[in-house]
Amino acid sequence: MKNMTCPACSITIEKALDTVPGVTAKRIDTQAATVMVAFDAERTNAATIAKAITDAGFPATAKADANGG
């Protein structure tokens, strides 16, 4: 993810994710520039989550986790 340069970035991303219905958990790692999101697939999808993060100023792309999620 681009533009994630400081701890305050995680607050902006968290607020953006809070606006997405169906997000059930999130973990933001500013050092690795990654965001892990758990969500209800019946209420949202990875593309919608990536768009919310991108719209907050942090260009993001969806990538499945190692567990196939």
Side-chain angles (χ1 to χ4, degrees):
M1 182 173 336
K2 298 182 184 198
N3 300 338
M4 192 185 298
T5 57
C6 67
C9 297
S10 64
I11 295 168
T12 302
I13 293 167
E14 279 193 40
K15 288 184 181 201
L17 291 172
D18 286 344
T19 68
V20 180
V23 170
T24 57
K26 54 198 170 286
R27 186 174 73 223
I28 300 162
D29 184 339
T30 53
Q31 298 227 339
T34 60
V35 178
M36 301 271 303
V37 181
F39 60 93
D40 178 347
E42 292 183 11
R43 297 183 67 201
T44 194
N45 58 53
T48 300
I49 293 166
K51 183 177 180 335
I53 295 169
T54 297
D55 289 350
F58 302 91
T61 54
K63 180 168 66 170
D65 69 16
N67 296 322

